[in-house]
Amino acid sequence: MTDAITIDQSLVDRARTAAADIADDIQRHIDAHTTDSTERATLRLLGVTGVNEIDVPLVNVVVEHARALLPGGVIRPFVDLMMQKGKSAQEAAEAIARGELALAEVPAERRAAAEARATELAREGVARIDGVRERRNALVAEIGEPLRPYVYVIVATGNIHEDAVQAQAAARAGADVIAVIRTTAQSLLDYVPYGETTEGFGGTYATQENFRLMRAALDEVGTELGRYIRLCNYASGLCMPEIAYMGSVERLDMMLNDSMYGIIFRNINMRRTFVDQYLARLLNARAGIIINTGEDNYLTTADAFEKGYTVIASDFINEAFAERAGLEKWQMGLGHAFEINPATPDQVVYQVADAQLVRQLFPEASPKYMPPTKYMPGDIFQGHIIDAMFNFTGIFTGQDIMLLGMLTEALHTPLLQDRYLSIKNAKYVFESCRHLRDEVRFKSGGIIEKRAGDLLSRAVDQLEHVREVGLFAALEKGEFADVERDPEGGRGAEGVFKRAADYFNPVFAALRDGRMSGPPVGPAPGTRTAAGEGRPS
Amino acid sequence: MTDAITIDQSLVDRARTAAADIADDIQRHIDAHTTDSTERATLRLLGVTGVNEIDVPLVNVVVEHARALLPGGVIRPFVDLMMQKGKSAQEAAEAIARGELALAEVPAERRAAAEARATELAREGVARIDGVRERRNALVAEIGEPLRPYVYVIVATGNIHEDAVQAQAAARAGADVIAVIRTTAQSLLDYVPYGETTEGFGGTYATQENFRLMRAALDEVGTELGRYIRLCNYASGLCMPEIAYMGSVERLDMMLNDSMYGIIFRNINMRRTFVDQYLARLLNARAGIIINTGEDNYLTTADAFEKGYTVIASDFINEAFAERAGLEKWQMGLGHAFEINPATPDQVVYQVADAQLVRQLFPEASPKYMPPTKYMPGDIFQGHIIDAMFNFTGIFTGQDIMLLGMLTEALHTPLLQDRYLSIKNAKYVFESCRHLRDEVRFKSGGIIEKRAGDLLSRAVDQLEHVREVGLFAALEKGEFADVERDPEGGRGAEGVFKRAADYFNPVFAALRDGRMSGPPVGPAPGTRTAAGEGRPS
Amino acid sequence: MIVRPYGDTRDDGVIQFSFTLPITHSPKAADVGKQFLEKLGFHDVAIAECTGIDPRFTFYVAYARTDQGIDPDEVKGDYLEVEVMDFYAVNDFIKEKLGRKLVVVGAAIETDAHTVGIDAIMNMKGFAGHYGLERYPQIDALNMGSQVPCTQLLKTALERNADAILVSQVVTQRNIHVQHLTQLIELLEAEGVRERFVLVVGGPRINNAFAKELGYDAGFGPRTTPLEVASFLAQEVVRRAGKA
Amino acid sequence: MIVRPYGDTRDDGVIQFSFTLPITHSPKAADVGKQFLEKLGFHDVAIAECTGIDPRFTFYVAYARTDQGIDPDEVKGDYLEVEVMDFYAVNDFIKEKLGRKLVVVGAAIETDAHTVGIDAIMNMKGFAGHYGLERYPQIDALNMGSQVPCTQLLKTALERNADAILVSQVVTQRNIHVQHLTQLIELLEAEGVRERFVLVVGGPRINNAFAKELGYDAGFGPRTTPLEVASFLAQEVVRRAGKA
Ligand code: B12
Ligand code: B12
Ligand SMILES: Cc1ncc(COP(=O)(O)O)c(C=O)c1O
Ligand SMILES: Cc1ncc(COP(=O)(O)O)c(C=O)c1O
């Protein structure tokens, strides 16, 4: 919108400053700790994969085995062992799993060599990620890039093969991004399941093989359609950095990855989550993956009208964390949602205010706009209309990523036809209203400008308050999503370790060095599909 | 909208001047002619009703019988006969129908008395209409007035009793206006059927008794709901003024009544229609009825994108005719429609332009906005979404009367549940977007302003051209709706007569004298239903 | 092979329903809806919505499953297979094979006033980017418009010595279209001229099988383009003329 | 009296359908859909939409009629009839009849992480303008939150000597809720404490009849208000205490 709502820039500056301070404070905690999953992800980057005879991933076996060594980082002893035994990472891990080899503190004289080799291996691992990113760039350049906003839908059959069928159908109907929903409570698994799976529950297990299968299906259909189809999954829960790693090598394009979601909605220990998200984000940053943050979830437990500002505050925090992990702006799919009760008079007017504010506060980011869920009715016809107004709000405020609502949201995970109808709904609304936002300017002092101003100033208050008490304390008091969490409680607390003085992990630096930049670019689907088609001649 | 699109006022003035000239030209034709239906309506105003043994209305029998006398007007001989025989109008008509009495030229010496008595009777007839209008005013004051826009839906079961059931259900779901669709081709009947009917075909016969039954059903439900529910029917076709009369005494609140619809879409002779519509409109004006014009229909045969300007031109013409019949601005439900192909890029943007233009050109009128019909798909889910964008456009441009689209438009006349869903759709969109229009201003020089300017200047061109060639010639050339009509052809031509020099009909003057003015006023449903309800507390 | 509705996985048999029962909403209304669908043979019924939309009516939205399937191979019907040619090919074909213009008369018959469909097929401007029959140099097309009585249509067709008659029927309430279409056939037969014309009907509720049942030579449904009709007419008239 | 769906007139039996068949779209696809609905026992089938939404799937929207009806009087069920009191009346009633606070423990059990429903019933702020149970001076309510194992829920209920246990189940895929709810009943029975508690379940797919079948004392569905639950609990606990 050329003439956007007027925003008090001093408030924006205060928000960013406070968020930076909040993130810096947590970053001190992050830099001082490591976690099970961080160490497991490190091993994965070296090439360790597979499971033992009782389906426990080898990285878990190794880290479990090395528990005493973790404060110093697993990689030094592990690489040392590889060097000593002349084994590849995988061979070493297998041997450890079989009980044939054991990890131990590296004697001082072998440290330098082990560290040098580890650094090399880390760089090789990162180079593989770069290769995948280059492949994406090449594919997008070749196949083509969809118009914005991206049309994002989920598949959730539980069976990766059915998922692939449905994902292809969705792409043909117009979807640009396919997210494979995870099976219920995978967040709480402290390991990543292995191999192809066909028996999920309300979703499909996130496994590296499932990623690969879906990636192939989407490349196939994308080529057919002349539009690169993006794949999304969840780098979230207790295995955040590991899944981020898998995504980075299987060419996922987006990842749900929030700095606080696991804490608030999965009762994952906060000291754990903050550390995990950091490595996850470094990986996402390197891989050219767009992260999606989870502020939408706040509005399912807290009231969207009253607590809309918490979304804004949290977006600033997620942005600050993202910056610290080197994510570029375009990789920040900051979350927000259309969750004001549809019975509220002028609901859409308020939603426009909220969405426009996010758009303006984060102009170079790729906001991800989430559809109505909480108040979706059993009357699917009416639900479809509410979704249309969500679609309208999205295009009218220039969102980048639109996760489409489903008319059956209140009932079941989407049927094939639900997805088709929902995409048709969105495509119509987007195309029929595409330039409406360029046609209008918002009146100053109106409902919209007031609401946006109000959200922003409350967000600033909250951020400054959080800076004062610290983010841990704020989470303890339920200041986000109305959910209270104990800093010492929650799952996975036992997997957090204070780093020893000699903690060593070359992966962090390797991920930062010589990073590529910029989004992939490709020809727009352009004239062929967007313009002219329906215009009567 | 406080800040509307900029419109070139000189074009508006030119349009009104041309339309006035066009209407004045036709008015000369009108003032020089009478028709079967005009004369029949005159008899109805005197109180003639009922049918003969073969179901021919008595007014038809009398007018048929008096054919030779028609150029002088039927009322003078008819009242003379009443006076001579000491009979009421109804008794006289019955006697004529039985062949017991006959009409004849009134001898010069009895003329003055007959004319005086006729004038008195005409005034009495008009007083009955006034009584009905007063009753409406009282009821609205007592029961309450809905918010704008009016939610207008149709019922079309064919059976007046089923219609009543469905109309009440619609009102309870939120409808403010119920239109009873007429049975197919009633337009072409040169008489008005009599009595209660249960066997219509794609609609229900418009009869006075059916009007009465539906009026009672709506008064009942309106009282229950605290919202006066308006009733609409069709003063259109070959019996335009007669149906207008029936509506005026049975307290209809709206009437489809177009100066050209019958010509274009029913191939009714144009010399006939223009005369008929005049008396029909005088009656509507007197009765406080809002007329609905039929410009929407043009866009079902002509292309809405290319020929949008014909709607504007025709609205000016209908306005000019309405003014000549004494309709006040608020009684002018000028028609326009959301008929641009939904596959057109920026369709909604164009529709906003078109609708906003109508709203601004006729600020005191009560524009009636018609939903998408031609491009409605068999996929009812998608149809429902297109209707939502119509509803959006209506509330965003401040329309007064919204005829709701039905998701099953492409399939069948509305089922009970279709109407319920459609009302729910509209109510949600209206309430959730109610003040969006107050929040924005249109950018100057944008798509919207350009499109509106383009429509208006083309409409001016058309009007000035029509003024030059005359409206008859323009209709002959298919300048509206792409339909060509022969001025001498079409149905009902045989029922038009040049008025004799001594043509006498006191009804015209009676309808003009001492007319009330202003719309009925009543308490808004207000806080109870509109505000606050759903807002989370 | 038998197929079943596919909701979320193959053969789950999921169907979506909506309907209205003329009952007052009450706590048990949802179960009335559920048991009703069970009586119809469905299982795993989920009543998604059950609302009183009036004191006399309750509206339902439901999902349920069926075990029934259907074998598409066993569905046989009269599907029109037109070899669609392009504009120029149609004209060349007529010129070459028939050696004269193909004469067509069309109308929306009896009480039907819907002309947009027949106009789309016949008028110059055509439909969906395809020219109408009037635009074809080798077709002599007359569109008589709306509400044309069958007798008048026939009269004109005979006068013009038409090769084909095209009729449109849009309104289908209480099967009025069946009545009108039968009326035309009966008239043609009574006059002994049925065989003189290629008789075609079109409309949103028309399909070829249905048209054949009624005694027409072809039926065209929604989204028909003039090109399909022109191709069919050219081939069929030429075939009948024994010149193909 | 037997009722049938009401589309446009009484007893017309009209139902709207949508479904997807795993077949490639073709000219006969519409007839496959039509005959499928006919096989299911419907007539006057109108296929409103039949589109290939993928090379492997065809989507249908249809209307059809049924002659089947249902007699609502023959639908019997266990409908909860709560005499809903107001906030003050509930508190007074407990105070007067029970003479002490009513103790309630609630949770979303096992893998279910959906707490908005149970929060709506139990938390201070309540739902739809009604305060939650925590706000009632005469109710001592503990909401244990999400993903609470049955064993832990029982332990707490015993510790607090609860009068009632409230559980929420929202996720119903593959009938996981049935599994969880049965697990709780079995645990209570194994421990021999089933009779000590008024056992209540709620959720969007729960109703009273279903809850009773599983062995619960009551079940509450969508749009339940805390007031209904409070009224029920007060009356039921007092009744069991033999003080009513
Ligand atoms: C435009 C329209 C009108 C216009 C007609 C103007 C005109 N000159 O045609 C007006 C406003 C006058 C009108 C009036 C009425 N209408 Co009307 N109308 C429509 C509407 C909105 C669009 C129809 C249309 O033009 N479609 C576009 C064309 C291009 O599509 P088509 O007709 O299907 O044609 C294509 C194919 O079918 C095929 N085809 C069609 N004919 C032929 C012929 C041949 C030979 C061939 C080869 C192919 C062919 O090719 C075409 C191009 O692909 C429909 C609703 C809808 N969206 O369908 C209602 C609709 C058809 N009308 C309806 C009704 C009931 C009426 C009225 C009876 C209402 C009333 N009681 O007053 C009146 C009376 C009309 C009458 N006596 O026939 C109903 C019919 C219900 C039913 N199934 O019986 C509909 C479905 C609306 C509804 N939901 O109630 N209507
Ligand atoms: C909010 C929400 C979430 C939030 C939950 C946050 C939280 N802390 O609760 C988040 C984002 C975390 C979430 C996650 C998931 N969700 Co969820 N979620 C929803 C959503 C949008 C709204 C539910 C809600 O809050 N409703 C509002 C409340 C007030 O209504 P209610 O629960 O019905 O409660 C009322 C009554 O039922 C009753 N009641 C409820 N409980 C009780 C208890 C008692 C004792 C009583 C008396 C009454 C009572 O009273 C309440 C007030 O009237 C629904 C979709 C929808 N619109 O329903 C999906 C939905 C429930 N989720 C679903 C799924 C599949 C999931 C996931 C499994 C997805 C995944 N694979 O990751 C995850 C995992 C969650 C898990 N392990 O349980 C599906 C369930 C499908 C099914 N039928 O099985 C739904 C229907 C969405 C969908 N269409 O796919 N979800
Ligand atoms: C940031 C984020 N992570 C993860 C998830 C998925 O939930 P789960 O915890 O079941 O993986 C969501 C769901 O909305 C989310 O927003
Ligand atoms: C002005 C007008 N009159 C009448 C009608 C009804 O059509 P008819 O009565 O000619 O069947 C319409 C329908 O759209 C209309 O717009």
Side-chain angles (χ1 to χ4, degrees), chain B residues 227-371:
Chain B
R227 221 169 67 233
Y228 180 79
I229 307 296
R230 286 180 163 73
L231 175 57
C232 178
N233 210 294
Y234 295 72
S236 198
L238 286 170
C239 298
M240 237 194 252
E242 294 173 82
I243 295 191
Y245 168 74
M246 292 173 178
S248 73
V249 292
E250 299 301 342
R251 195 156 33 82
L252 269 76
D253 308 287
M254 288 191 189
M255 280 286 185
L256 280 267
N257 181 267
D258 191 279
S259 57
M260 307 193 282
Y261 167 87
I263 302 166
I264 299 172
F265 293 94
R266 290 313 200 161
N267 196 11
I268 292 174
N269 175 267
M270 58 182 83
R271 294 156 35 80
R272 165 82 176 253
T273 283
F274 283 119
V275 178
D276 284 347
Q277 63 90 28
Y278 178 57
L279 178 53
R281 286 184 174 195
L282 281 169
L283 283 157
N284 287 330
R286 185 83 195 189
I289 286 174
I290 295 175
I291 63 162
N292 296 332
T293 66
E295 282 79 4
D296 52 287
N297 297 288
Y298 301 174
L299 306 182
T300 64
T301 50
D303 179 71
F305 193 83
E306 297 301 322
K307 296 292 176 68
Y309 69 90
T310 62
V311 167
I312 306 294
S314 178
D315 280 335
F316 278 114
I317 295 175
N318 259 315
E319 178 192 50
F321 279 119
E323 274 166 358
R324 274 150 194 73
L327 284 153
E328 299 182 67
K329 297 272 187 219
W330 65 272
Q331 291 178 284
M332 300 180 192
L334 299 172
H336 59 132
F338 184 99
E339 285 283 16
I340 296 175
N341 187 341
T344 311
D346 282 320
Q347 177 226 7
V348 170
V349 180
Y350 290 112
Q351 293 289 184
V352 165
D354 292 14
Q356 177 66 22
L357 177 65
V358 170
R359 180 68 281 184
Q360 283 184 234
L361 291 175
F362 308 100
E364 295 163 61
S366 307
K368 182 189 179 198
Y369 196 33
M370 299 288 292

